Amino acid sequence: MQRARRRFTITGLYSLTGRPDRPTGPPRAPLHNLVLASSSPSPYRKALLGKLGLDFECASPNVDEQPQPGESAEHLATRLAVAKASALQAQFSRHWVIGSDQTAAGPDGVPINKPGDYETARDQLRRCNGRAITFYTGLALLDTGTRRLDQLCESFVVHFRTLSDQDIHHYLETEQPYDCAGSFKMEGLGIGLFSRLEGRDPNTLIGLPLIALNALLRARGLDVLSEAYRNSRRDSSN
């Protein structure tokens, strides 16, 4: 009796026993290691990227983040995102490097930086009291092997409700958001400062536009949902 021939495909539809396994989705794109280029010591972008269930590593690029004369907040965020990704090209070959940077402009158009201390944070919130500020988050995806680069910038508008000095004091003493541009943490108690938010992706406000990143990865053949599924199956079997 002739033995049945075993079939194998790159998606693993047949196992070593010759029995068909449950399909795992469309054929996967060529595997590329993901790197998050982040010079910030804060864990926000790392935590956001981790939500996608992908394997990645972090590396700190050496980038001068000072704005150029007359540079707009939007241009600055995009330029620095590209600079961060490009700075790791020599260190990582055949990788997809993700660069991101965020800037903000107050209601008077003046850039808003990370406060660093209570007094600066209090002054920032007083200046934004009852008004709106716009955050710009630049995103870059660089293939270090082919040098293909995609870049974009997402905006997000935050409308502050009317705040008393006591509101500001209680918030700052409770959450101490001194490492955050705008002097608040939207994912925490800072949500109590706002009357409304405008933007398609709230992750943009935290520091990494996941909807846009997902679209860039998908356009390059990486299905985030399928990859996250494979990773979860792998982790559960270990």
Side-chain angles (χ1 to χ4, degrees):
M1 180 177 178
Q2 187 177 6
R3 298 176 62 183
R5 297 177 61 187
R6 295 176 180 174
R7 296 174 57 196
F8 301 90
T9 73
I10 61 172
T11 54
L13 294 180
Y14 287 80
S15 68
L16 294 176
T17 64
R19 296 192 300 270
D21 288 332
R22 183 175 298 175
T24 58
R28 67 192 301 174
L31 181 62
H32 283 75
N33 296 319
L34 289 176
V35 178
L36 176 63
S38 178
S39 56
S40 173
S42 63
Y44 304 122
R45 289 193 179 95
K46 181 179 179 181
L48 287 173
L49 185 55
K51 290 167 63 174
L52 296 185
L54 304 175
D55 292 329
F56 68 95
E57 58 184 304
C58 295
S60 178
N62 184 16
V63 173
D64 181 3
E65 300 188 17
Q66 291 299 313
Q68 298 173 348
E71 188 173 29
S72 67
E74 181 176 3
H75 186 273
L76 175 62
T78 307
R79 179 176 63 82
L80 291 181
V82 172
K84 288 179 179 180
S86 301
L88 297 179
Q89 184 162 340
Q91 183 178 347
F92 295 93
S93 61
R94 297 183 61 81
H95 287 66
W96 287 358
V97 183
I98 301 166
S100 185
D101 195 83
Q102 186 179 77
T103 60
D108 50 7
V110 176
I112 297 176
N113 301 313
K114 297 176 182 178
D117 55 49
Y118 174 91
E119 289 74 18
T120 305
R122 180 195 59 202
D123 292 343
Q124 283 188 355
L125 291 180
R126 282 176 173 174
R127 183 154 55 96
C128 297
N129 191 1
R131 307 174 77 180
I133 63 174
T134 303
F135 284 80
Y136 298 95
T137 304
L139 176 66
L141 179 62
L142 173 66
D143 185 331
T144 58
T146 66
R147 297 192 177 184
R148 174 180 171 179
L149 173 67
D150 295 308
Q151 57 182 293
L152 56 87
C153 188
E154 292 252 342
S155 62
F156 202 98
V157 182
V158 173
H159 296 263
F160 283 84
R161 65 181 180 86
T162 301
L163 302 169
S164 66
D165 279 350
Q166 185 179 63
D167 291 333
I168 293 173
H169 174 73
H170 286 169
Y171 171 68
L172 293 178
E173 286 292 295
T174 302
E175 196 151 60
Q176 301 182 7
Y178 307 135
D179 62 340
C180 300
S183 303
F184 65 83
K185 295 180 181 180
M186 189 276 291
E187 70 277 18
L189 183 60
I191 197 70
L193 304 174
F194 313 135
S195 60
R196 61 189 175 99
L197 305 173
E198 290 182 56
R200 71 164 184 159
D201 185 354
N203 298 292
T204 299
L205 187 57
I206 304 174
L208 188 64
L210 293 184
I211 293 177
L213 177 59
N214 188 21
L216 292 181
L217 294 173
R218 194 168 60 249
R220 296 192 184 194
L222 176 58
D223 187 320
V224 172
L225 297 180
S226 296
E227 190 68 19
Y229 169 77
R230 295 184 185 99
N231 290 342
S232 67
R233 291 288 297 272
R234 176 201 65 201
D235 295 341
S236 63
S237 64
N238 291 337

